[in-house]
Amino acid sequence: MQTECSVAFIPDNLSVHVPVGTPLLRAATLAGLELTSACGGKGTCGRCVLRIVKGTADPGDEASLPAKYRGDGYVLACKARVQGDITVEVPGDSRLIEHQVLVDSSLLAEELVGLGDAYPFAPICRSVDLSLDEPTLVANASDLTRLQAELRRRAGLEDLRTNLAALRQLGGTLRACGWKVSAHVAEHHPGQAELIAVSPGHGERKYGLAVDIGTTTVVVDLVDLATGLTVDKRGTYNKQARYGDDVIARIIHAAEDATGLKDLTEAARETINELIDRLLGKHGLRQDDLLAATCAGNTTMTHLFLGVDPRHIRVEPYIPTATCFPVVRAGELGLRLHPGAPVVPLPAVASYVGGDVVAGVLATGLARSDSLLLFIDIGTNGEIVLGNKEFMVACSCSAGPCFEGGGISNGMRAMKGAIQRLHIDPATYAVEYDTIAGARPIGLCGSGLVDALAELRRAGIIDRAGKFVGERKSPSLRRTDEDWEFVVAPGSATECGRDLCITESDVKNLIRAKAAVYAGISTLLRMVGMDLEAVERIYIAGGFGSYLNVKDAVGIGLLPDVDPARYRFIGNSSVKGAKLCLLSKEAKAEAEEIARRMTYLELSLGNTFMDEFVQALFLPHTNLKLFPSAAVQEAIQ
């Protein structure tokens, strides 16, 4: 009886041998293929579609297989299990391909670029060139004692400790290079320093990493620790996506699968290591040239990165294992830095306000501001912070995965072929769109979905409640057995060969998502007894925010209707805050203080949030007085 089978994937020409009964999703991962699996392999999202070309497989439960794929050998990779040697075809829209990752710091608002001047340049790891006297029978102090004394004299390091690996190399290195060395020292705790390593000679360049561990994407900045300059940046999708699109799916996988936590931890570290390898290879650097890293992520991502059980984050009363995390050596985490390099996770505030938000608040200068500022990071969760140097309050609202393409019939993440800009002619209903990388469209990403919702309303195709207006005559508007839908791109123009549509169900999901974000903003303001007029500036963070059309975001009621000049789109504030902590001990201390000072407000308490949410379930809102610019458009219609 056959116990091991060959699984071949086309058109990639990849193959792998797996035991009988292995899910095709697992076989694809082992072969090096990443498939879209928004539900984490639970069989509910219907995204991981494959077509069996040769051989057979047990299809398992096909209830979530989209109707357009029924028959002709299509199966769900997470449910179909290998029964023998098999060849499968991977459709383009089943692939988790490279994301459009925001890594360009030029997208930061102008006033943020020089914010580092507010902090003294004092990296958490530095290199000190030393020339030691050769020992004699009289001057016979140990190598470490003489090194400590010289560092005390030259660099003011009073409490210098060392790890065993550095100690083991110390004596040989000193003698091999004639007692001239660079001592590489980490200072990640106040008043304490640790010798990471010594290297022969003087002037050797060393580097650090600032890392944003996002749910969707991971970004790494390579930073020169001697100058503070960013040498290069790299970003890619988070390989944890193979276990689910959102943090809840990943928490469930970590809690319910025997190897779940290990899977997710390894996936996060694998993603970071791949980016490190690219940076090292491009610049001709060695692993030992990387002497420190700071990491910012939401609370769940930080738990998973460190291998800490996150299961209690998703159940009431939503308590994380920790909000402050220990400094860990890179070698313990399996990261490709110097094994003794400190890896510093930024602190969180609560289960759903994490170190990425703390980093963003640090980067905007909100905690030092005299004026009242509002910080918003829109994603699966909308994290919102209101405050200044006197106080800071934060909340989190669950927007769902819509703005990352989840729960939308033709939604997708910001990848090649995603429609990111959209316009509908109100007279002819003709659609114009732009896609990422100019490729043929395969779906709509978050910014495209916001545009679509705004344009459908502007053209009168949907009403304020999100219902399609059936009397509008257009070949793009049609009724199916299940739903109304509007064709954004016909199959003849798409990469996947099928029509890309927005359905009435999609519209309802998008309205709920935008309502949650707006309700979070208005609830937070109500809880502290303030209104938008008191807010001088509104910062919109994250990759999604950077590609957002402000007019359309206001038009659908996602963002408040205020003077556009009050908005600042600041891009990846998470990695910028992490970089500040890497380059300034004072900034790192301030990040810790921000996390301690910030008050978290739980929106599930009381009825305020639900009342605000219900009122926001219209386009743009039940109360048009809150959206004067949209009221003008309504009057025209």
Side-chain angles (χ1 to χ4, degrees):
M1 181 177 177
Q2 186 175 5
T3 60
E4 192 169 83
C5 311
S6 171
V7 183
F9 295 91
I10 60 173
D12 305 88
N13 294 321
L14 296 172
S15 63
V16 65
H17 287 82
V18 297
V20 170
T22 299
L24 279 173
L25 183 61
R26 175 63 177 163
T29 300
L30 292 172
L33 280 172
E34 299 289 347
L35 302 182
T36 302
S37 179
C39 64
K42 304 299 181 185
T44 58
C45 71
R47 297 296 185 92
C48 59
V49 176
L50 300 176
R51 188 170 75 89
I52 298 174
V53 176
K54 183 179 178 182
T56 59
D58 177 3
D61 184 1
E62 295 183 288
S64 296
L65 186 65
K68 59 180 173 286
Y69 289 122
R70 298 286 168 84
D72 200 25
Y74 286 103
V75 296
L76 290 176
C78 62
K79 291 299 181 182
R81 294 181 178 273
V82 176
Q83 297 299 311
D85 294 344
I86 189 173
T87 300
V88 295
E89 180 183 10
V90 186
D93 49 356
S94 294
R95 297 171 181 272
L96 188 61
I97 55 179
E98 196 78 1
H99 284 64
Q100 175 170 279
V101 180
L102 183 64
V103 296
D104 186 1
S105 61
S106 66
L107 292 173
L108 294 171
E110 184 176 342
E111 68 266 27
L112 297 186
V113 174
L115 185 65
D117 297 339
Y119 302 99
F121 178 66
I124 62 171
C125 183
R126 57 174 164 154
S127 300
V128 183
D129 290 341
L130 301 173
S131 296
L132 301 182
D133 293 331
E134 189 171 350
T136 66
L137 289 174
V138 177
N140 56 8
S142 72
D143 293 340
L144 179 60
T145 299
R146 287 182 301 108
L147 183 75
Q148 289 172 324
E150 190 64 11
L151 282 169
R152 188 180 304 115
R153 186 181 71 82
R154 290 282 310 280
L157 297 173
E158 294 294 335
D159 184 7
L160 179 70
R161 305 176 184 186
T162 187
N163 60 62
L164 183 57
L167 186 62
R168 284 172 172 166
Q169 70 165 172
L170 179 60
T173 302
L174 287 171
R175 287 161 179 80
C177 63
W179 306 93
K180 291 185 177 182
V181 294
S182 289
H184 310 297
V185 180
E187 299 173 84
H188 46 78
H189 292 300
Q192 294 182 4
E194 180 183 4
L195 180 66
I196 298 174
V198 292
S199 56
H202 291 169
E204 187 177 14
R205 273 283 165 79
K206 296 296 181 182
Y207 302 84
L209 302 176
V211 185
D212 167 38
I213 310 174
T215 307
T216 304
T217 58
V218 176
V219 174
V220 175
D221 280 16
L222 176 67
V223 182
D224 188 325
L225 292 174
T227 64
L229 296 177
T230 301
V231 177
D232 205 349
K233 306 163 179 276
R234 285 291 182 272
T236 189
Y237 65 85
N238 188 334
K239 290 181 181 292
Q240 289 181 343
R242 66 180 68 137
Y243 304 108
D245 271 0
D246 56 69
V247 294
I248 299 302
R250 295 181 200 176
I251 291 172
I252 292 171
H253 182 77
E256 297 183 358
D257 192 281
T259 62
L261 180 57
K262 182 174 179 286
D263 293 340
L264 288 155
T265 298
E266 289 180 350
R269 297 174 186 176
E270 179 186 349
T271 306
I272 296 170
N273 278 335
E274 283 192 6
L275 294 174
I276 292 173
D277 286 345
R278 291 189 211 171
L279 291 166
L280 293 178
K282 178 180 177 181
H283 297 280
L285 301 175
R286 301 165 298 137
Q287 177 177 331
D288 284 357
D289 292 327
L290 303 178
L291 292 185
T294 49
C295 302
N298 67 45
T299 310
T300 299
M301 289 301 102
T302 303
H303 276 60
L304 294 175
F305 168 63
L306 295 175
V308 178
D309 188 351
R311 73 181 64 205
H312 304 296
I313 288 175
R314 65 176 285 264
V315 294
E316 195 173 337
Y318 316 113
I319 304 300
T321 298
T323 53
C324 293
F325 306 96
V327 176
V328 189
R329 293 192 180 100
E332 297 177 61
L333 299 175
L335 293 184
R336 290 199 265 277
L337 293 82
H338 187 289
V343 178
V344 183
L346 268 62
V349 177
S351 280
Y352 294 104
V353 176
D356 52 348
V357 174
V358 170
V361 169
L362 179 73
T364 59
L366 184 150
R368 293 186 169 199
S369 173
D370 294 316
S371 304
L372 189 64
L373 306 179
L374 187 65
F375 173 91
I376 306 170
D377 191 344
I378 304 172
T380 304
N381 284 312
E383 291 106 350
I384 306 160
V385 181
L386 175 71
N388 54 24
K389 67 182 182 182
E390 301 296 333
F391 77 99
M392 287 179 288
V393 292
C395 69
S396 175
C397 52
S398 178
C402 285
F403 296 128
E404 293 176 350
I408 304 297
S409 55
N410 286 290
M412 63 182 294
R413 294 179 179 175
M415 300 183 291
K416 182 180 178 181
I419 295 174
Q420 60 180 344
R421 286 283 179 267
L422 181 68
H423 172 68
I424 301 174
D425 188 305
T428 65
Y429 306 122
V431 181
E432 297 177 356
Y433 53 77
D434 293 323
T435 64
I436 294 175
R440 287 166 65 89
I442 57 176
L444 293 94
C445 64
S447 59
L449 289 167
V450 170
D451 281 6
L453 190 57
E455 290 289 315
L456 287 169
R457 178 64 195 132
R458 194 172 291 129
I461 297 168
I462 58 176
D463 63 19
R464 290 186 58 209
K467 290 185 176 295
F468 278 79
V469 181
E471 63 268 19
R472 300 281 179 177
K473 301 301 182 183
S474 166
S476 298
L477 180 61
R478 63 196 186 196
R479 176 76 182 179
T480 69
D481 293 337
E482 301 174 351
D483 213 347
W484 280 98
E485 63 184 21
F486 182 84
V487 180
V488 174
S492 59
T494 67
E495 180 66 28
C496 51
R498 55 183 173 80
D499 294 347
L500 298 182
C501 303
I502 294 285
T503 70
E504 194 165 272
S505 296
D506 294 336
V507 169
K508 296 290 187 182
N509 285 337
L510 287 165
I511 289 176
R512 282 191 288 268
K514 73 90 184 174
V517 174
Y518 186 83
I521 297 168
S522 53
T523 301
L524 187 62
L525 287 164
R526 281 184 60 181
M527 283 181 162
V528 297
M530 295 181 175
D531 58 37
L532 279 167
E533 293 306 312
V535 178
E536 180 176 293
R537 192 168 297 123
I538 302 173
Y539 289 107
I540 308 296
F544 171 63
S546 297
Y547 300 102
L548 200 59
N549 181 310
V550 179
K551 180 182 177 182
D552 286 348
V554 170
I556 68 172
L558 171 64
L559 296 177
D561 193 354
V562 299
D563 182 352
R566 290 163 66 184
Y567 282 104
R568 296 290 188 276
F569 291 85
I570 57 174
N572 192 333
S573 59
S574 176
V575 78
K576 183 171 178 63
K579 194 187 308 181
L580 287 173
C581 292
L582 177 71
L583 295 175
S584 174
K585 291 177 288 184
E586 184 176 315
K588 176 178 172 292
E590 184 165 319
E592 293 165 353
E593 182 64 17
I594 287 170
R596 284 192 293 267
R597 285 179 51 207
M598 199 178 296
T599 300
Y600 177 70
L601 301 181
E602 178 54 62
L603 297 185
S604 64
L605 296 175
N607 298 321
T608 304
F609 175 77
M610 187 53 65
D611 291 344
E612 293 285 348
F613 176 72
V614 171
Q615 292 181 63
L617 289 174
F618 286 83
L619 295 172
H621 196 274
T622 305
N623 183 2
L624 281 179
K625 292 181 179 179
L626 296 172
F627 290 85
S629 63
V632 172
Q633 178 66 28
E634 291 294 329
I636 294 173
Q637 291 182 336

